[in-house]
């Protein structure tokens, strides 16, 4: 179908005999902003790892349509090591390494890319700072810049707001929405914080090993499946917000 960017068909993922994801199917379209939700241990990270090609499909398949340039922000990116010496600019530049050959020297063009994304995420002034001297929210922007510097068309984030306060969460989701709208980046975010995320996403995937719900977020709010979801959502606040 037109603009389909990713299709997942009858996907099952097992660790040994343990079934982490069972027979799920869905399609994602260019420009979607998808929230993946579900209780602890429901298979969310496992699904992301399979999309990223880090683990093999036990059964079923994952297909990308057209060119897929993936950007990834893993869980627990925050650096709490006070002595970690790397500077913001260096960390962001490492996002370009996978595109480079065996001689991993940065070019002038690479640093133009780094500076452009630093400016876009409003952290250009921090470029010579040590990562460990930054706040959690600033660090998260740096790691987002690293994920974005290679110009991905699909950005995958695993619980990116875990260490952020409510204001910073909103801020991060707002930045992602901007990338989604202005640069047409398809965004996939795993989160426990549907209350905030719900203001930004257009689709939701609710996983409990099996697929409980997949579709428009607005439809989820009025579905029977929302009754299974344990974190509170303020429907009045969210309904008009998309
Ligand atoms: N490397 C692994 N080896 C064996 N079992 C694993 C491995 N990683 C995850 N599991 C199991 O697979 C299931 C799904 O785990 P997964 O981490 O994908 O869930 P999750 O929804 O991301 O959880 P959380 O919200 O706690 O991050 C769980 O039962 C987990 O214990």
């Amino acid at each position: 179908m037109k603009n389909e960017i990713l299709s997942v068909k009858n996907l099952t993922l097992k660790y040994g005999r343990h079934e982490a994801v069972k027979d799920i199917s869905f399609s994602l379209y260019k420009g979607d902003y998808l929230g993946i939700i579900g209780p602890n241990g429901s298979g969310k990270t496992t699904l992301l790892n399979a999309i990223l090609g880090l683990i093999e499909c036990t059964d079923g398949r994952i297909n990308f349509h057209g060119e897929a340039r993936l950007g990834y922000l893993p869980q627990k990116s925050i650096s709490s090591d006070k002595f970690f010496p790397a500077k913001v600019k260096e960390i962001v530049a490492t996002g370009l390494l996978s595109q480079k050959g065996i001689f991993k020297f940065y070019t002038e063009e690479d640093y133009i890319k780094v500076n452009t994304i630093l400016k876009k995420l409003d952290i250009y002034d921090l470029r010579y700072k040590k990562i460990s001297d930054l706040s959690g929210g600033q660090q998260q922007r740096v790691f987002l810049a690293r994920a974005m510097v290679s110009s991905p068309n699909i950005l995958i984030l695993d619980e990116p707001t875990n260490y952020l306060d409510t204001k910073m969460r909103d801020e991060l989701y707002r930045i992602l929405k901007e990338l989604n709208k202005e640069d047409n980046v398809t965004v996939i975010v795993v989160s426990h914080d549907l209350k905030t995320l719900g203001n930004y996403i257009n689709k939701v995937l609710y996983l409990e090993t099996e697929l409980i719900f997949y579709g428009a977020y607005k439809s989820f709010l009025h579905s029977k499946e929302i009754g299974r979801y344990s974190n509170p959502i303020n429907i009045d606040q969210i309904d008009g917000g998309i």
Side-chain angles (χ1 to χ4, degrees):
M1 198 188 250
K2 207 167 144 256
N3 286 335
E4 193 172 0
I5 196 163
L6 167 72
S7 59
V8 173
K9 292 239 164 65
N10 302 111
L11 179 69
T12 293
L13 302 166
K14 287 185 186 173
Y15 296 103
R17 294 162 80 182
H18 178 70
E19 214 161 41
V21 169
K22 187 179 177 190
D23 194 20
I24 71 167
S25 300
F26 65 93
S27 292
L28 208 61
Y29 295 85
K30 202 170 169 181
D32 272 341
Y33 189 159
L34 170 71
I36 300 181
I37 58 169
N40 290 118
S42 58
K44 304 182 294 298
T45 299
T46 303
L47 173 60
L48 290 192
N49 285 340
I51 292 173
L52 288 160
L54 300 174
I55 58 170
E56 277 184 32
C57 305
T58 313
D59 225 328
R61 60 182 194 272
I62 297 174
N63 286 117
F64 291 100
H65 307 283
E67 191 196 4
R69 285 171 280 114
L70 303 181
Y72 176 44
L73 188 66
Q75 249 183 56
K76 302 189 186 88
S77 305
I78 300 290
S79 163
S80 54
D81 181 355
K82 279 278 158 227
F83 301 102
F84 191 61
K87 296 203 169 70
V88 167
K89 211 171 162 170
E90 297 160 358
I91 289 178
V92 174
T94 61
L96 292 166
L97 284 181
S98 64
Q99 291 180 344
K100 303 176 88 59
I102 195 162
F103 302 107
K104 296 181 188 288
F105 296 116
Y106 293 117
T107 61
E108 189 64 32
E109 199 189 328
D110 290 336
Y111 279 112
I112 291 173
K113 284 185 190 165
V114 169
N115 286 339
T116 305
I117 194 71
L118 289 174
K119 284 177 190 161
K120 187 167 183 74
L121 298 184
D122 216 8
I123 48 173
Y124 184 69
D125 292 348
L126 304 177
R127 64 194 181 285
Y128 297 119
K129 293 242 183 221
K130 279 199 304 186
I131 185 80
S132 50
D133 287 341
L134 305 183
S135 72
Q138 289 170 328
Q139 287 194 16
Q140 201 58 306
R141 278 191 200 210
V142 173
F143 291 112
L144 180 60
R146 181 176 64 179
M148 287 302 301
V149 71
S150 57
S151 303
N153 59 349
I154 304 177
L155 185 58
I156 297 176
L157 306 97
D158 197 352
E159 300 192 25
T161 61
N162 267 1
Y163 302 93
L164 306 183
D165 63 31
T166 319
K167 197 166 151 250
M168 284 178 179
R169 277 178 203 185
D170 254 319
E171 182 61 15
L172 183 72
Y173 289 141
R174 192 193 54 72
I175 293 170
L176 293 174
K177 186 75 191 174
E178 232 171 74
L179 296 169
N180 172 249
K181 281 265 171 254
E182 290 173 12
D183 302 340
N184 216 3
V185 177
T186 302
V187 180
I188 303 176
V189 187
V190 164
S191 179
H192 285 281
D193 175 33
L194 191 57
K195 194 174 173 186
T196 316
L197 182 62
N199 289 314
Y200 302 93
I201 55 177
N202 69 325
K203 290 217 175 118
V204 68
L205 188 156
Y206 182 4
L207 204 56
E208 279 183 18
T209 308
E210 296 182 47
L211 190 63
I212 304 300
F213 182 93
Y214 179 69
Y217 181 58
K218 281 193 173 182
S219 310
F220 179 61
L221 292 175
H222 301 289
S223 69
K224 62 178 188 327
E225 287 84 3
I226 197 172
R228 295 171 73 130
Y229 187 71
S230 52
N231 292 2
I233 308 171
N234 183 344
I235 292 182
D236 295 337
Q237 180 200 336
I238 289 161
D239 229 5
I242 302 171

